[in-house]
Amino acid sequence: MALGFRPRYAPDVAVSSSLSATGVRWDLRDLEPDAEQATREWDELFARARDFAERRRGTVGSAGAQGVRDMLDELDELSQDASRVHFYATAREHTDATDPETNDLATLARDRAADLESMLLFVELEWLALGDAEAETLLHAAELEPYAHRLRVAREEKPYVLPEGEEQALNARRPAISAWESLHGRELATLTVEFDGGDGPEPHTIDRLLSYVHHPEREVRLAALEVLYEALEGVADVQAACYDAIVGDRLSLDRLREIPETMWPTNQRNELAGDVVEAMMSAIEQHYPLGRRWFVRKASVLGLDRLQLGDQYAPIGSDRRVEWPEAISMVDDSLRDFSPRFSEIFRTCLDRGHVDAEPRPGKVGGAYCNSVSKAVLPYVLLNYTDQLRDVVTLAHEFGHAVHGTLALERQTYRAFHTGLAVAEVPSTFAQLLAVERLIDNEEDVSTRAMLLADRAESAMASIFRQTMMARFEIQAYGIRGEGKALTSDRLSELWFAENERYYGDSIELPAGYRLGWSYIPHFIHVRFYTYAYAFAHLVAFSLLARYREDPERFAPAYIEFLSYGGSRAPQDLLAPLGVDLRDPQTWAHAFAEFDRCVVEAEEGVDALEAA
Ligand SMILES: [Zn+2]
């Protein structure tokens, strides 16, 4: 899914005309015919929003259930048209960043979207301003059923909203805070270092240096990280100052708003209770030894006494080339196995040109899926480089696409949205299904070992490492809350301590890794963002085990879960699937599946060594 972060353009991607997804590009005509029409539509949307505001402002409290329903339906239509026109600009920006027309369109989209947002914000504010009794009456009205859950969630913020004048004053200083975020991002984006990755010395960005962690030669892997750490020395003080300013600001706003708990804003967005999150994080930390066991085994298969941090993702076994048509049939089979409907959505998206898979200059890096509106099928972006890992990415993004399509069929646009924690569940589940299928069908011992290791290591990266990061943040907020500055030294100490808690003796952490906190964008953009990945991966593990126990019963219940979108709380969405978030056994159940993955990865390297 689009994570809302600065797009990472990928000039580093080795672009070769021999890649098999060449020519697989988006057809944006389901969004807009051309830039001219898009510009015209922004004007129309602006006029519609102004008309809506003139007619509706000040009426939320007096319109009655049917009146509020009509208002929300109209707003839902407006939001979807805005989403479509906006995504037309974003999609062009993400696939052709150098086109001047695209840049003008993207600037226009950003400005107009902000105008629209402030023009329409009164609906949310008036909804929050209603008294509890009035709001409860509306929430129980049959007319408002399609919106009730999202409206209820929105009201949870009511106790912490300040009087309008104060909110406006806080908003007015927003650009000054964003400046810290921009500075942090710019320091990282502009950092380039000379490095020789095998083709002679060349300037490298951070992302490109980090990509060497998958390099087969140890010297290259370790040297790339050393060069990175050295370069970070030069920016660490600035990065710490940015983080200190941002955390300090968030904490003083929390005090002003009387928000009781540092994690509350994130937990509220995820619709998870604080104690549920803490129980999950503690369960994860108790299982850190599972990761260490694998790292010890991995060291021995690589012929090392002990892994260095740069060996963590060293390749095991061998990858194989998978051409785009084969990837399509692999993912199609995996989806169809679960439900023919999933495969139909996948095929339709492909046929309508809603998949952009070709890596090329001027295209954004990474992968995402955007569910645009009830009227438009999702758009999926990835950079397909003919590796098995890319097949898994394709499956992941179509987990999102299937979720978006089914939820938008049944729900209003407002109610289709979920928090990040739930949003990543269907994508991770689709990814796990696809990987299992790849493993089952793979006869080559070496490729099997690679797939098994990759599955276990990606689970470790999202479950263990992301939790470790969230715990680091909790400590940092605690220290800043005591009035101490978050200096580079202090952050480095905290970072190292949390990493040692996870890796123990199983991995040697180089001294330069102290600065590992300084290039993580999540810390800057959304506090405690990372635990959502751990949540989604564990829940997906648990769902996979349930599916295996009783596929006939599980599949229809799962499709039902997808079609609810964000119209219910995570607890109520997942309970019918046998996942009770309040029951500590839930995490034990997920870890049994995780453990199975590690055991199979160990068996994979056993077989590799025996061959
Ligand atoms: Zn995702």
Side-chain angles (χ1 to χ4, degrees):
M1 83 179 283
L3 297 178
F5 293 145
R6 193 183 315 281
R8 291 185 299 112
Y9 290 96
D12 297 341
V13 173
V15 179
S16 146
S17 57
S18 67
L19 288 177
S20 64
T22 301
V24 181
R25 297 182 178 198
W26 275 337
D27 179 342
L28 299 179
R29 282 175 298 181
D30 281 347
L31 300 168
E32 285 295 339
D34 53 36
E36 207 179 308
Q37 174 64 20
T39 309
R40 229 183 348 259
E41 265 203 71
W42 275 122
D43 292 340
E44 285 167 22
L45 275 167
F46 191 82
R48 264 170 73 193
R50 197 171 42 202
D51 171 57
F52 174 86
E54 275 165 13
R55 280 182 290 114
R56 306 284 194 179
R57 191 186 288 280
T59 68
V60 172
S62 57
Q66 188 57 49
V68 175
R69 168 67 188 264
D70 293 342
M71 183 184 314
L72 292 175
D73 282 348
E74 195 181 342
L75 184 58
D76 225 43
E77 290 298 324
L78 252 171
S79 313
Q80 290 180 79
D81 287 335
S83 156
R84 175 175 48 76
V85 189
H86 196 174
F87 185 61
Y88 176 69
T90 310
R92 286 185 53 163
E93 199 182 17
H94 284 181
T95 49
D96 192 4
T98 51
D99 176 19
E101 186 185 69
T102 294
N103 287 323
D104 286 346
L105 196 62
T107 307
L108 177 75
R110 266 189 290 273
D111 290 353
R112 290 304 180 126
D115 292 345
L116 242 55
E117 199 182 313
S118 36
M119 231 182 313
L120 300 172
L121 191 64
F122 74 91
V123 177
E124 316 301 321
L125 294 179
E126 288 182 27
W127 168 244
L128 286 192
L130 287 188
D132 286 348
E134 260 175 303
E136 274 307 309
T137 308
L138 287 172
L139 286 170
H140 285 100
E143 292 91 333
L144 286 169
E145 196 274 329
Y147 296 104
H149 181 67
R150 296 321 310 168
L151 291 174
R152 198 180 285 282
V153 171
R155 276 185 73 86
E156 290 171 4
E157 289 182 43
K158 182 178 161 77
Y160 312 119
V161 174
L162 300 170
E164 196 179 341
E166 291 173 37
E167 288 292 344
Q168 276 171 358
L170 288 178
N171 243 338
R173 47 185 280 299
R174 183 66 217 154
I177 300 304
S178 303
W180 289 107
E181 299 178 15
S182 307
L183 176 61
H184 188 277
R186 207 166 48 233
E187 287 287 286
L188 297 180
T190 54
L191 192 82
T192 53
V193 204
E194 284 280 297
F195 182 69
D196 184 353
D199 301 320
E202 277 179 281
H204 278 61
T205 59
I206 295 184
D207 279 348
R208 189 166 174 200
L209 284 173
L210 285 170
S211 73
Y212 287 106
V213 298
H214 299 291
H215 199 279
E217 285 169 48
R218 184 167 205 238
E219 271 168 46
V220 178
R221 289 197 302 268
L222 301 190
L225 289 187
E226 277 311 313
V227 167
L228 170 66
Y229 300 148
E230 254 171 60
L232 290 173
E233 292 282 352
V235 298
D237 281 339
V238 175
Q239 301 305 82
C242 293
Y243 188 56
D244 181 74
I246 289 167
V247 173
D249 182 68
R250 285 175 186 158
L251 288 171
S252 30
L253 288 193
D254 285 0
R255 276 194 299 276
L256 266 180
R257 298 184 183 284
E258 297 182 34
I259 288 177
E261 219 268 307
T262 317
M263 287 180 82
W264 187 86
T266 308
N267 294 344
Q268 194 265 343
R269 284 169 68 169
N270 284 324
E271 297 178 62
L272 295 171
D275 55 346
V276 168
V277 175
E278 181 51 41
M280 175 194 77
M281 286 181 60
S282 307
I284 291 171
E285 288 165 326
Q286 278 162 26
H287 284 85
Y288 279 167
L290 181 62
R292 289 181 220 145
R293 190 178 92 202
W294 168 250
F295 297 135
V296 170
R297 182 70 186 92
K298 180 161 183 168
S300 81
V301 74
L302 294 177
L304 303 167
D305 290 336
R306 183 152 77 123
L307 295 186
Q308 263 234 34
L309 188 73
D311 300 316
Q312 186 177 199
Y313 302 110
I316 285 183
S318 52
D319 204 343
R320 76 175 172 85
R321 204 180 142 87
V322 183
E323 302 231 329
W324 179 244
E326 191 189 352
I328 291 175
S329 69
M330 281 169 155
V331 172
D332 193 8
D333 288 348
S334 161
L335 293 170
R336 193 174 335 94
D337 246 17
F338 190 88
S339 156
R341 187 69 220 287
F342 287 12
S343 150
E344 186 197 312
I345 293 167
F346 177 59
R347 285 285 174 184
T348 315
C349 284
L350 282 166
D351 292 346
R352 293 198 64 86
H354 282 225
V355 180
D356 195 304
E358 175 195 20
R360 56 191 185 274
K363 178 175 167 180
V364 76
Y368 68 80
C369 167
N370 188 13
S371 293
V372 183
S373 80
K374 286 169 81 73
V376 179
L377 276 174
Y379 275 85
V380 165
L381 176 143
L382 72 159
N383 285 277
Y384 193 81
T385 59
D386 295 1
Q387 293 181 310
L388 271 166
R389 211 174 271 124
D390 301 326
V391 181
V392 179
T393 304
L394 182 64
H396 178 102
E397 297 311 330
F398 269 92
H400 285 307
V402 166
H403 188 201
T405 306
L406 294 179
L408 281 167
E409 273 173 10
R410 282 261 299 269
Q411 307 300 331
T412 58
Y413 182 62
R414 178 183 288 250
F416 122 86
H417 291 99
T418 68
L420 177 77
V422 168
E424 285 300 320
V425 170
S427 51
T428 312
F429 183 71
Q431 162 191 337
L432 292 177
L433 282 181
V435 176
E436 187 146 274
R437 200 186 164 86
L438 291 180
I439 292 167
D440 288 347
N441 293 340
E442 187 58 60
E443 281 166 15
D444 182 78
V445 174
S446 179
T447 307
R448 247 183 92 84
M450 173 264 170
L451 283 167
L452 288 163
D454 202 56
R455 177 176 66 177
E457 287 173 2
S458 70
M460 286 170 198
S462 52
I463 295 168
F464 291 146
R465 237 182 101 75
Q466 304 292 333
T467 298
M468 182 275 288
M469 289 186 194
R471 194 62 87 189
F472 160 80
E473 277 190 273
I474 292 173
Q475 313 270 26
Y477 279 74
I479 287 179
R480 190 63 176 75
E482 289 165 15
K484 292 185 196 139
L486 296 174
T487 59
S488 172
D489 280 348
R490 216 170 246 146
L491 289 168
S492 297
E493 242 169 70
L494 274 185
W495 177 254
F496 224 73
E498 281 306 318
N499 274 273
E500 277 178 333
R501 258 182 91 193
Y502 169 29
Y503 294 113
D505 289 336
S506 68
I507 286 190
E508 187 190 334
L509 302 176
Y513 180 57
R514 299 172 76 250
L515 298 177
W517 53 270
S518 64
Y519 61 83
I520 313 282
H522 305 70
F523 297 160
I524 297 299
H525 294 284
V526 183
R527 56 176 122 173
F528 315 116
Y529 187 97
T530 60
Y531 82 71
Y533 293 118
F535 173 91
H537 215 109
L538 281 180
V539 169
F541 266 150
S542 202
L543 294 178
L544 188 66
R546 301 277 178 215
Y547 173 48
R548 216 181 283 115
E549 283 159 21
D550 190 351
E552 309 281 281
R553 246 187 60 190
F554 181 88
Y558 184 77
I559 292 169
E560 193 72 359
F561 151 68
L562 295 184
S563 68
Y564 283 132
S567 66
R568 301 175 173 208
Q571 170 72 24
D572 302 329
L573 285 170
L574 293 167
L577 296 169
V579 175
D580 179 358
L581 297 175
R582 302 215 154 264
D583 179 0
Q585 276 310 107
T586 289
W587 307 120
H589 186 253
F591 271 104
E593 186 64 23
F594 190 176
D595 192 86
R596 192 183 70 90
C597 280
V598 178
V599 168
E600 290 188 8
E602 288 164 340
E603 288 167 2
V605 292
D606 290 345
L608 188 65
E609 285 177 330

